[in-house]
Each structure stands twice: as C-alpha cells, then as structure tokens.
Amino acid sequence: MNCKKILNYLYSLETSKIKLGLENIQMLLHHIGNPEKQLKCIHIAGTNGKGSVCSLIFYSLQEAEYKVGMYTSPHLKRFNERIRINKHLITDKEIANCFLKIKPFITNQSFFEITTAMAFLYFKEKNVDFVVLEVGLGGRLDATNVVNPLISVITNVGLEHTELLGNKIEKIAFEKAGIIKNNVPVVTGVEGKPFEVVKQISKEKNAPLFLAKKHKDVKFRYLNGIFQQQNKDIALTVIDILRKFYFLKIRFFDIQSGIKKTKWKGRLEFISKNVLVDCAHNPDGFRVLKKELKIIKNKKNFEKVFFVVGIQKTKDICDMLNIINPLVSSIIFTKSKNEKAANPIELVDIFNKINSKQSIKTKIIKNPRMALKYAKKIAYKNDLIVVTGSIYMVGEVI
C-alpha cells in the first residue's frame, strides 16, 4: 500500500460520531509492544492554545539540542504535519511503514486511535528524547491519555464539545483534568471554577500543581497576539518544572531563542498585507480574536473588517457569530470540505437573526478560496480581511 491509499483508508474511518474511550487504543498498543511506555511525554490538554503551547515547548527543547517529537491535530495542509521530529515532518514512506506494522492488529479502532498509535511507534523507533503530545478531544478518555507523562498541562477551559464533554464548565474541566496522573506535576493557566476542579483532582492524585508563572514578554519572530504571551508563560513554566523535577540542563539562552523562533501557522497570521487568517473555532477563541482584532485595527488604521467565515456544525455557531458581530462590515460565509462543516445557508440564517446592524452585507460562496478572492475584490487596501471559524477551512485557504 502506498501512502495515498493508506491515508484514504484512514480518512474513511472518520465519522461524525466520536466515540471516546481507551480500550481500543490500549488493545492496539499492546499488540505493537506498548511503545508509549518508553517515551518521555509532555501531555497537553485545554480548550484553546494547546497547539501553540506544544509548539513553544517543542522549539525550546529543540533549540537546546534535544531530539523532540511532536504530535498534534488536526493538520492544516498535509497529514504529515501531525507527526514531526525537530525540523522534519514524517515522510510518506515512514507513514506507510508505521501503518503496515500496525495494520495486522487493527480491529475497530478509529482514525485518531490508529494515527496516535502510529505516532507512538514512530517516536519510539526514532529514539526521541521527548514527545510533546497534544490531546485530541477532552482528556480523560482521549486516545493520547494512555501515557504516564513527565508533566501534565492544561492550558485553559471553556465550553466546547458539550455533546461529548458536558454542558457545564466544571464538567469540561473534569474531563480535561483527566490527564492528571499520580505524583506527576501539573502546569495550568486555568482560572475560576475550572481551576477549583483541577486543584481538587491534583490533590487527589498527589500531583504537584503549578500555576503558569508570568514571564517577561518576548518579541516573537513568527507569532502574533497578546494571547501568545500567555501561552508563552505556560510553556516557560513547563520548561522550569522540567529543569527542577527532572534536572534537565537547558540554558536560559536556548529557551529564549526557541520561544522567539516558534512557528505555528494559521494563528493570527497575516498571509498578505491586509489578509489575516486565524484558526479560532469556538466561542472562547472568537473572544480572543475579537480583542486582538480591535488592537490590530487601531494599530494599523484599518477602516472596515471583512470576514470570510466557515464553522463546523457541532460548534456554538450563534455565540461565535454574536461575538464578532460588532466588528463586521461585510461577511462571506463558506464551507470547508470536512464533512462536519456547517451549511453556509444555515450560517447566514443564524447571523441574520442576531445581526444588530442591518446594513451588513452577507454573501455565500461555498469554496473558501473563491470566498477569499471575492473578499479581496470588494475590500479596499485600508480594509482588513479576516478568514476564520475552522482549522479545516483556514487550511484550505493558506
């Protein structure tokens, strides 16, 4: 089997109904020798910021000359982005080799369970020093939660995936805190009621709990936004704990250099002078985006804001659109190729019901690239175009 056929097979296993649980992944890993037990992992959960925090830690450890694996999801352009070691993405040939070693033991495992097992096997065979591991969904029953990590990280907690994780913030915090292990240090940026949940579970597991420590702001080369300074604080606190608990020898200079060099595409990123893409895909993400857009608009003297928006149908669409409504001058609704993408007609209907400014023009262009092309056509040079709402949709545009 070549890589293309393998990926087509794996994608065919994706369904709109996600089943959380650890039995299937544990069974699969058992058959391939439990590679996850031989890895030193930093396990990261949270509603938003997971990918950025993963990347910040990854680049810092890499700059200190460690061999570091990173597993994240979803990808923006290519599957290979999910599994990487230092500067190299997993190759098509390596994807095929990993899959063929696992294939004889696949029963009814999901796309994410199989790819997680592939990542563990790949990192073990490549003998990495560390693995930076992002939770796929939730935490407690996520396929990545088979590891006993060096550190558990919970970036923040907001309402998301309520149909799977519960509709109360405390319940979602409980699911995220499910990655906390006995006697394993925990680093978090969580506040309010969710913090009390994290605190209680840490106490029950005798897991030392550390709040993200405020560090001096850095000037990123590739990242933008105040929220990335907060993610940086979490990442630097994680590095501090690694140094203290595991006697890691990392020079402060290397850490700072790694933080500054960190790249994480599609996060408040200008892809041209007046086109901004952002992977915000839930209400909390949209609140952060709104704050950042106000700053950008004033700083760069943009007149109007034109939005290109595509959202997954499982999200709180009404809340998301309501958040950005005050900033919208014109909005084009579109749709990614992902099967969970909401119909743009439904997005327009929802927006029209909550729209406080009747003068706002709405349009539907189902192809994201064509939607962006239209936005460029109607916007002036001193207007800002924002592409957002779905990681999948942003991936199709950049």
Side-chain angles (χ1 to χ4, degrees):
M1 293 178 79
N2 62 31
C3 184
K4 188 175 180 181
K5 286 183 179 179
I6 287 167
L7 291 180
N8 285 338
Y9 165 72
L10 289 173
Y11 292 140
S12 74
L13 300 179
E14 285 192 290
T15 64
S16 56
K17 292 183 178 179
I18 298 172
K19 293 181 180 179
L20 295 174
L22 301 181
E23 289 183 7
N24 283 341
I25 182 74
Q26 287 171 335
M27 188 186 305
L28 190 56
L29 290 169
H30 170 74
H31 285 298
I32 59 171
N34 289 111
E36 80 286 356
K37 292 184 178 179
Q38 298 171 61
L39 300 172
K40 295 178 180 177
C41 297
I42 298 143
H43 199 194
I44 301 167
T47 299
N48 291 303
K50 296 191 299 291
S52 293
V53 171
C54 281
S55 196
L56 287 158
I57 296 168
F58 173 74
Y59 273 86
S60 295
L61 293 174
Q62 181 181 310
E63 196 71 10
E65 299 185 349
Y66 286 103
K67 189 176 184 181
V68 193
M70 183 165 74
Y71 178 58
T72 56
S73 61
H75 58 270
L76 276 173
K77 303 292 287 183
R78 301 169 59 213
F79 175 89
N80 311 59
E81 298 165 25
R82 294 171 179 250
I83 303 170
R84 62 183 76 194
I85 297 174
N86 287 14
K87 296 178 182 179
H88 305 286
L89 306 183
I90 188 171
T91 65
D92 289 354
K93 185 178 179 180
E94 288 169 332
I95 289 171
N97 287 340
C98 281
F99 175 77
L100 291 174
K101 289 174 183 176
I102 289 173
K103 185 174 180 286
F105 311 110
I106 296 172
T107 52
N108 62 339
Q109 283 82 14
S110 67
F111 167 87
F112 190 69
E113 288 166 338
I114 295 169
T115 56
T116 300
M118 287 168 60
F120 287 145
L121 181 62
Y122 179 69
F123 294 141
K124 182 248 179 181
E125 290 183 344
K126 293 294 182 180
N127 196 30
V128 298
D129 296 313
F130 299 99
V131 173
V132 183
L133 182 66
E134 181 187 15
V135 166
L137 195 158
R140 184 174 65 92
L141 299 175
D142 184 75
T144 62
N145 200 30
V146 291
V147 299
N148 193 46
L150 298 178
I151 298 179
S152 304
V153 185
I154 304 169
T155 59
N156 50 50
V157 175
L159 286 172
E160 64 157 357
H161 300 294
T162 52
E163 74 286 359
L164 293 167
L165 305 180
N167 58 8
K168 289 187 177 181
I169 198 80
E170 295 90 344
K171 180 70 174 81
I172 293 174
F174 173 80
E175 294 298 328
K176 306 283 185 192
I179 69 166
I180 297 172
K181 304 297 191 302
N182 290 326
N183 305 309
V184 173
V186 181
V187 173
T188 188
V190 172
E191 299 175 340
K193 290 181 180 179
F195 174 72
E196 294 304 318
V197 176
V198 172
K199 184 179 177 182
Q200 180 60 35
I201 292 175
S202 298
K203 185 178 179 181
E204 290 170 3
K205 298 287 182 74
N206 196 35
L209 177 61
F210 299 89
L211 282 171
K213 181 183 174 184
K214 179 69 179 173
H215 292 77
K216 184 180 177 181
D217 284 357
V218 299
K219 192 171 183 180
F220 297 112
R221 289 187 191 173
Y222 307 104
L223 301 181
N224 299 303
I226 294 170
F227 70 99
Q228 292 292 15
Q229 298 292 346
Q230 295 163 349
N231 289 331
K232 170 263 305 173
D233 289 339
I234 295 172
L236 286 177
T237 304
V238 169
I239 299 292
D240 284 344
I241 301 306
L242 281 173
R243 294 167 78 187
K244 290 174 185 175
F245 275 72
Y246 302 102
F247 309 106
L248 233 64
K249 294 180 180 178
I250 307 177
R251 294 184 304 167
F252 183 74
F253 172 80
D254 292 329
I255 298 169
Q256 289 291 90
S257 178
I259 292 289
K260 288 176 183 177
K261 290 180 181 179
T262 299
K263 296 179 182 177
W264 196 233
K265 288 190 70 62
R267 277 68 183 179
L268 212 69
E269 178 186 5
F270 276 95
I271 58 173
S272 64
K273 196 170 182 180
N274 71 329
V275 178
L276 181 77
V277 298
D278 189 73
C279 287
H281 57 280
N282 53 40
D284 276 9
F286 265 48
R287 288 185 190 96
V288 171
L289 175 61
K290 182 181 178 181
K291 288 179 184 176
E292 298 290 352
L293 288 178
K294 286 181 177 179
I295 295 168
I296 290 169
K297 191 169 181 283
N298 292 331
K299 188 177 180 181
K300 294 183 177 282
N301 294 316
F302 286 118
E303 288 288 328
K304 296 178 180 178
V305 184
F306 292 71
F307 281 86
V308 176
V309 174
I311 302 174
Q312 302 292 85
K313 56 191 172 188
T314 55
K315 303 296 181 180
D316 190 341
I317 296 169
C318 184
D319 196 8
M320 291 167 71
L321 294 178
N322 201 35
I323 290 165
I324 60 168
N325 181 46
L327 293 178
V328 176
S329 297
S330 182
I331 188 164
I332 301 122
F333 290 104
T334 188
K335 183 176 187 265
S336 74
K337 293 175 184 175
N338 188 276
E339 65 173 19
K340 297 176 188 174
N343 189 323
I345 296 171
E346 294 175 14
L347 297 180
V348 170
D349 287 342
I350 294 169
F351 183 76
N352 285 338
K353 288 175 183 175
I354 58 100
N355 181 18
S356 60
K357 296 184 286 182
Q358 299 303 319
S359 60
I360 296 176
K361 293 179 181 178
T362 61
K363 191 172 181 66
I364 292 173
I365 300 178
K366 290 190 176 181
N367 181 292
R369 283 184 172 272
M370 295 305 293
L372 176 55
K373 188 176 180 180
Y374 176 78
K376 289 178 179 178
K377 184 179 177 181
I378 63 172
Y380 291 101
K381 288 183 180 180
N382 59 342
D383 293 329
L384 175 63
I385 299 169
V386 180
V387 183
T388 191
S390 159
I391 295 173
Y392 301 99
M393 194 269 290
V394 169
E396 290 178 28
V397 165
I398 63 174

